[in-house]
Amino acid sequence: MTLVELQQGEKAYITKVRGIGAFRKRIMEMGFVAGREITVVRKAPLGDPIEYNILGYNVSLRNAEAQLVEVITVQDLKEHISNELPPETIPFVDEKFLENHARKKGKVINIAFVGNPNSGKTSLFNRASGMHERTGNYSGVTIESKEARFFMDGYQINVTDLPGTYSITAYSPEELYVRNYIQEKAPDIVVNVLDASNLERNLYLTTQLIDMDIRIVAALNMYDDMTKNGDSLNHEYLGKLLGMPLVPTVGSKGKGVEDLLKKIIDVYEGKDDTSRHIHISYGKAIELAITKIRETLARPENKHLTARISGRFLAIKLLEKDEEAWNKIELIPNAEEVKEIVHQQISIIEAFIKEDSETIITDAKYGFIAGAVKETYKPAKKRRIRKSDLIDIFFTHRLYAFPIFLLIMWAIFYLTFTLGAYPQEWIENGIALLGGAIDKGMTDNMFKDFLIDGILGGVGGVIVFLPNIVLLYFFISLLEDSGYMARAVFIMDKAMHRIGLHGKSFIPLIMGFGCNVPAIMSARIIESRRDRLITMLITPFMSCGARLPVYILFISAFFENYKGTILFAIYLTGILFAILTALFFKHAFFKKQDVPFVMELPPYRVPTGKSVFKHMWINSAAYIRKIGGVVLIATIIIWALGYFPRKQEFSIDYSTQIAQKETLASTATDPALEAEFLKEADFLRQQMKSEQQLNSYIGKIGRIITPVMTPLGFDWKMTCAIIAGIPAKEVVVGTLGVLFPPDINSSADQSISERIRNQVILSGPDKGKPLFTPLTAISFMLFILIYFPCIGVIATIKKESGRWKYALFEVGYTTVLAWIVSFAVYQLGSLVVG
Ligand code: GDP
Ligand code: MG
């Protein structure tokens, strides 16, 4: 009997919990396991929900849920025992004994054979049960199931042989029958019988069973046929990928049947660690729709549905426009709402991908299967070759794959920067024009300073990278939509495994060279939480575009002859730190061995313009939002810290001197002389600004922290630049430009790098020596490389991981690491240089 049938106040022992995985997991966590005592505390007036007492706690369950919990009343159990035991032992029956007995009473496993027609279900059914049902090379005419029962290892096993189906959509009566059987009867284990010699086709049904969130054991039947062909299969690994054990069998000869049954018992007892619920990934658009639909389904009053049918499965079926699923929805209270959401999602998906929602889902399933099979199945000889296979021969070739991959990546970076240079220049000019207009159009006041230095200087400096970002996303979308990205993941998988990550981690890492923010967001494609976290935490070591101007500045100042090499070395150092950090995190924090995932290999496709542009837009919009949000606020704060306090004692009376120079200029007759005076006035303004900065709040903060930074070779101005770089690295160069104003005595037009190179120490024993050496430059660049790229990245880590913990850890980890590395390099370097 089940829990619902108990009367108020009645006591019973739980014998079994049924239902889909998610439901079972939740309810078992609440204490509902075989052998537990449970009491009915109170029935609601209408009999739903019912309150139970278990382990001293009161929990209330809906009828639909309680129906899935099988029990035996204490009275029945005692009666049962008194029939079995000799009368003199009855007085010794205690709680423990009853519990054990209840658990034993629950030793019934209901299994059902599901599989394609002619995969050998009936043969296996007969072998397992000792029955003699007809087997044959034909599809069933009547839709019926055969049942049998037998005993094994103390279990009563009830086995059902279901009609053969290729799928469990609602197209044919057989399919509907099988689907309803699984949902209504909720067998404990579904045995998915596969024709191993025809694996890809057979696995299609398996992907649907996976969506149903049920416990599956797969029989790799016709194993003899498969090996006869000379094919080989790493079935253990395939089992891990699919989240279910695979047992090789030969149904016609009864081989492997014993192993199959043993495996079934193991899985039932929860002893098999290959058995787990995986999600087949249907791509961003579909997954988003699934989430939305599941949210509308997740209502307490819908429990009668969601305890038996996985919300994910139902959502997928609804998106596939599956009639049966739509009928099921009709019966729930918020049917209209769900239907509306589904309609809406289908039209979004179809408009976006330009393809039937069913086709998209089917394609994703075949992509999943292709990926799983490619990794585990070695055919003896090539059979029919599809177009995608043909292209794959080239793109995933043992020798060519890497060169092709590198070439494509190089081309993307090259094009991103060369093509991006033009719009970048337009934006720069536009900002300069705008700044000039504001400068001319407004009288000198604080608001003008704010607009020019705060907004244009800060946000403008960031927005110039937008073209690069847009282009990078354009290419990445092309790679994704064409299907090549999946191959890149595939060929990088081995290398990524070396550092304990999955091939999919490679995508965020590559994207990190553009901008870390969307890169971290793209880590969503990684199924494993551990891999996703590690990937998010190491992505910031991928040197993003915002850090490039800093390198360029220092490299042109000190390494004129080795520009490319040094830049390459910096990027490589970042990669090295990413690898070391991944290894370190894996060993220090995430000891648990992770399970493998399938890398889908979708068919190659010509990308549609609409989808590529849409992808590109979504990602670029994220970058623009970052500029409009975090960067804007941060630059305003930095600007204010540098701008205030305004009332200051200056070393010389700048205002008067500037006014003097300007009067001289206006009275000068020689235009060359006039320009000279104007330039001097400009220099004075810069100097005043610099002195003002020194005494501003940021200057004060910088000087407080400077002692910590001196051992790394940084002075207070560089320290300020590092602090200014916290909101965004784009701010660093701008800050240096403001803090190192041009030399007033020199008439030559000086770039910031020249200015930095020409700085000398003004006092002390080293007076007159250069303030910065190539060593300082390296130390500084390393610091910029290693400490977290920007506030936006930290905010994104928080958002994607759901925890502040990880975001704050990243701040601490990267900053401390940056300090240690720069310290070591500067100190050791100083020893060597002398
Ligand atoms: P069902 O349609 O899934 O119930 O499949 P059947 O059990 O009726 O089997 C279909 C045919 O395949 C029969 O002729 C069986 O004898 C044969 N068969 C079943 N299992 C195996 C196997 O493992 N190897 C080989 N070679 N033949 C098998
Ligand atoms: Mg049959």
Side-chain angles (χ1 to χ4, degrees):
M1 69 196 296
T2 70
L3 262 185
V4 234
E5 295 161 63
L6 294 180
Q7 298 307 311
Q8 186 156 320
E10 208 169 4
K11 250 188 201 170
Y13 285 96
I14 295 172
T15 52
K16 183 198 289 267
V17 178
R18 309 167 52 149
I20 55 157
F23 165 76
R24 239 187 20 256
K25 181 159 176 269
R26 183 170 61 83
I27 200 159
M28 286 171 110
E29 278 164 4
M30 282 156 67
F32 289 77
V33 291
R36 275 280 152 70
E37 193 187 270
I38 185 163
T39 317
V40 183
V41 178
R42 186 174 311 116
K43 285 199 166 185
L46 295 173
D48 193 18
I50 312 173
E51 200 172 323
Y52 298 96
N53 185 292
I54 189 163
L55 292 169
Y57 291 101
N58 282 5
V59 287
S60 79
L61 291 189
R62 300 223 150 221
N63 269 344
E65 300 172 291
Q67 268 166 7
L68 292 168
V69 180
E70 288 184 6
V71 295
I72 178 165
T73 61
V74 175
Q75 207 170 359
D76 284 353
L77 188 60
K78 281 188 174 151
E79 230 164 75
H80 201 263
I81 289 170
S82 61
N83 290 339
E84 278 182 8
L85 294 181
E88 61 276 15
T89 57
I90 295 296
F92 300 106
V93 169
D94 61 357
E95 295 257 310
K96 264 254 130 23
F97 189 91
L98 284 176
E99 271 177 26
N100 268 329
H101 213 79
R103 222 174 287 141
K104 222 180 281 164
K105 263 301 290 174
K107 288 192 110 173
V108 176
I109 309 180
N110 303 313
I111 64 175
F113 284 106
V114 175
N116 288 183
N118 285 320
S119 56
K121 295 176 300 300
T122 306
S123 309
L124 286 172
F125 172 85
N126 285 344
R127 291 286 176 171
S129 63
M131 302 245 310
H132 300 285
E133 279 304 323
R134 254 188 82 179
T135 61
N137 219 349
Y138 56 87
S139 300
V141 187
T142 51
I143 307 160
E144 54 178 339
S145 53
K146 288 276 175 314
E147 296 186 4
R149 78 154 114 152
F150 56 93
F151 294 87
M152 187 179 168
D153 290 354
Y155 281 99
Q156 176 189 326
I157 298 180
N158 297 329
V159 44
T160 308
D161 182 23
L162 291 172
T165 58
Y166 291 108
S167 166
I168 37 174
T169 39
Y171 288 135
S172 72
E174 289 92 352
E175 296 181 2
L176 207 53
Y177 183 92
V178 171
R179 177 153 144 200
N180 283 334
Y181 184 92
I182 296 173
Q183 283 168 356
E184 303 307 326
K185 298 274 167 52
D188 298 307
I189 310 271
V190 164
V191 181
N192 183 195
V193 181
L194 302 170
D195 174 353
S197 61
N198 216 329
L199 203 52
E200 292 210 43
R201 196 194 65 200
N202 276 252
L203 282 173
Y204 188 75
L205 177 63
T206 311
T207 60
Q208 294 180 320
L209 296 174
I210 289 173
D211 288 338
M212 294 180 92
D213 189 14
I214 50 180
R215 281 185 289 183
I216 312 166
V217 172
L220 265 180
N221 201 40
M222 312 267 179
Y223 204 72
D224 53 342
D225 275 356
M226 189 199 85
T227 45
K228 203 160 57 202
N229 290 340
D231 302 350
S232 71
L233 174 72
N234 183 348
H235 70 266
E236 276 163 20
Y237 193 65
L238 181 60
K240 278 191 188 148
L241 292 173
L242 300 176
M244 66 185 72
L246 301 183
V247 184
T249 56
V250 181
S252 48
K253 302 209 178 83
K255 274 192 199 157
V257 175
E258 186 90 7
D259 294 337
L260 180 66
L261 295 172
K262 283 219 169 74
K263 226 5 150 207
I264 290 168
I265 293 173
D266 277 356
V267 170
Y268 181 74
E269 291 177 343
K271 281 184 194 152
D272 185 90
D273 49 10
T274 24
S275 187
R276 68 194 165 105
H277 177 49
I278 64 161
H279 280 186
I280 291 157
S281 162
Y282 294 102
K284 278 179 225 149
I286 300 269
E287 288 297 335
L288 202 68
I290 292 176
T291 313
K292 290 242 164 77
I293 297 169
R294 287 185 74 169
E295 276 165 11
T296 58
L297 289 172
R299 295 271 186 87
E301 61 270 22
N302 293 341
K303 285 245 166 88
H304 61 91
L305 206 59
T306 52
R308 286 171 181 277
I309 307 177
S310 146
R312 184 176 169 83
F313 177 73
L314 202 52
I316 294 167
K317 284 289 162 206
L318 287 170
L319 287 173
E320 283 179 332
K321 301 165 194 158
D322 176 281
E323 216 174 290
E324 179 64 13
W326 280 86
N327 292 341
K328 281 241 155 56
I329 292 304
E330 290 292 353
L331 305 173
I332 65 173
N334 64 335
E336 287 311 311
E337 184 198 357
V338 175
K339 283 196 279 188
E340 201 185 311
I341 293 279
V342 176
H343 278 307
Q344 187 196 332
Q345 292 299 323
I346 289 178
S347 55
I348 293 176
I349 292 166
E350 294 187 345
F352 180 15
I353 312 189
K354 284 249 164 74
E355 190 81 79
D356 244 344
S357 57
E358 303 116 280
T359 316
I360 301 169
I361 293 174
T362 308
D363 282 356
K365 282 190 153 84
Y366 277 118
F368 174 88
I369 294 168
V373 168
K374 174 143 182 123
E375 220 169 312
T376 53
Y377 191 73
K378 297 272 168 297
K381 51 185 185 299
K382 287 268 169 291
R383 292 189 210 121
R384 72 206 153 80
I385 291 180
R386 288 175 305 179
K387 206 162 79 199
S388 279
D389 292 336
L390 208 65
I391 305 174
D392 266 345
I393 290 176
F394 199 53
F395 278 142
T396 61
H397 188 270
R398 209 163 37 87
L399 293 175
Y400 309 139
F402 272 99
I404 292 173
F405 169 71
L406 287 177
L407 194 71
I408 290 175
M409 284 300 150
W410 177 84
I412 287 179
F413 278 110
Y414 180 76
L415 289 174
T416 298
F417 282 99
T418 48
L419 293 181
Y422 301 102
Q424 204 161 4
E425 208 181 305
W426 305 333
I427 294 180
E428 267 169 5
N429 292 342
I431 290 173
L433 273 177
L434 193 61
I438 296 175
D439 193 23
K440 282 214 184 70
M442 287 176 69
T443 48
D444 281 343
N445 61 22
M446 194 176 96
F447 186 62
K448 177 177 159 183
D449 293 341
F450 170 72
L451 281 183
I452 293 179
D453 296 335
I455 306 284
L456 282 185
V459 176
V462 186
I463 219 157
V464 292
F465 293 101
L466 190 63
N468 301 105
I469 306 269
V470 172
L471 275 168
L472 188 63
Y473 284 121
F474 170 74
F475 291 121
I476 286 173
S477 307
L478 267 187
L479 290 190
E480 273 184 3
D481 289 4
S482 64
Y484 182 74
M485 198 61 119
R487 273 73 189 179
V489 165
F490 198 88
I491 59 176
M492 282 309 291
D493 191 54
K494 269 223 173 64
M496 297 307 287
H497 272 300
R498 294 256 161 81
I499 60 170
L501 292 177
H502 186 272
K504 286 186 181 174
S505 302
F506 181 67
I507 292 172
L509 295 179
I510 275 287
M511 286 173 59
F513 287 124
C515 172
N516 288 178
V517 171
I520 290 172
M521 294 195 314
S522 77
R524 282 181 204 165
I525 55 164
I526 305 166
E527 286 92 346
S528 139
R529 179 166 168 77
R530 184 200 79 143
D531 283 8
R532 202 164 54 233
L533 263 176
I534 296 184
T535 307
M536 285 196 284
L537 294 177
I538 64 172
T539 300
F541 290 117
M542 299 293 120
S543 194
C544 64
R547 283 172 266 194
L548 189 60
V550 182
Y551 309 144
I552 291 176
L553 177 70
F554 280 86
I555 289 174
S556 11
F558 296 100
F559 304 99
E560 191 57 47
N561 298 330
Y562 309 97
K563 274 184 178 161
T565 318
I566 300 275
L567 191 63
F568 188 63
I570 294 269
Y571 275 78
L572 225 53
T573 311
I575 296 171
L576 184 72
F577 276 112
I579 293 172
L580 292 177
T581 300
L583 288 173
F584 168 60
F585 285 175
K586 192 183 85 172
H587 291 292
F589 307 122
F590 302 98
K591 290 215 183 62
K592 220 179 91 204
Q593 188 58 43
D594 220 35
V595 281
F597 285 94
V598 168
M599 286 168 288
E600 300 85 6
L601 285 181
Y604 285 101
R605 237 184 243 286
V606 178
T608 65
K610 195 169 175 185
S611 145
V612 168
F613 281 105
K614 181 115 184 190
H615 270 141
M616 186 173 96
W617 169 246
I618 289 174
N619 289 313
S620 308
Y623 185 76
I624 294 173
R625 269 198 301 277
K626 174 189 158 199
I627 299 175
V630 189
V631 172
L632 179 64
I633 294 168
T635 44
I636 291 174
I637 293 173
I638 291 287
W639 171 82
L641 287 176
Y643 193 76
F644 296 106
R646 293 308 286 172
K647 282 210 162 36
Q648 291 186 357
E649 296 276 320
F650 287 109
S651 55
I652 50 172
D653 187 355
Y654 288 110
S655 326
T656 324
Q657 290 205 19
I658 291 169
Q660 269 173 11
K661 296 278 180 213
E662 275 172 349
T663 338
L664 281 173
S666 63
T667 53
T669 44
D670 181 4
L673 203 62
E674 182 187 343
E676 187 62 32
F677 284 129
L678 280 180
K679 200 167 209 168
E680 281 173 19
D682 258 0
F683 282 151
L684 281 170
R685 257 189 226 105
Q686 291 277 9
Q687 278 239 310
M688 177 171 150
K689 214 173 192 171
S690 153
E691 204 176 318
Q692 197 274 326
Q693 285 256 1
L694 175 67
N695 294 318
S696 70
Y697 294 119
I698 200 169
K700 290 193 176 108
I701 297 171
R703 273 177 295 165
I704 291 171
I705 301 177
T706 305
V708 184
M709 299 306 230
T710 318
L712 320 186
F714 307 159
D715 71 335
W716 77 266
K717 292 180 178 184
M718 295 174 102
T719 309
C720 278
I722 284 171
I723 297 170
I726 289 175
K729 290 290 154 288
E730 289 92 340
V731 188
V732 172
V733 169
T735 309
L736 288 172
V738 176
L739 293 180
F740 292 112
D743 185 349
I744 195 159
N745 297 319
S746 158
S747 55
D749 218 359
Q750 301 158 315
S751 64
I752 307 179
S753 33
E754 260 177 87
R755 269 137 59 187
I756 285 179
R757 185 172 51 217
N758 296 336
Q759 293 293 317
V760 289
I761 299 171
L762 295 174
S763 59
D766 289 332
K767 189 175 168 182
K769 282 194 186 165
L771 180 58
F772 302 116
T773 59
L775 189 58
T776 337
I778 288 182
S779 172
F780 191 74
M781 286 191 287
L782 283 173
F783 200 96
I784 295 291
L785 167 73
I786 300 170
Y787 92 111
F788 60 95
C790 64
I791 299 271
V793 160
I794 299 305
T796 310
I797 292 179
K798 148 74 179 64
K799 194 159 149 255
E800 295 294 312
S801 68
R803 302 267 180 83
W804 272 112
K805 181 169 94 175
Y806 296 113
L808 294 177
F809 171 81
E810 185 77 346
V811 171
Y813 175 75
T814 55
T815 311
V816 169
L817 187 68
W819 193 91
I820 293 173
V821 171
S822 291
F823 178 82
V825 166
Y826 186 73
Q827 294 298 331
L828 290 177
S830 301
L831 283 180
V832 174
V833 177

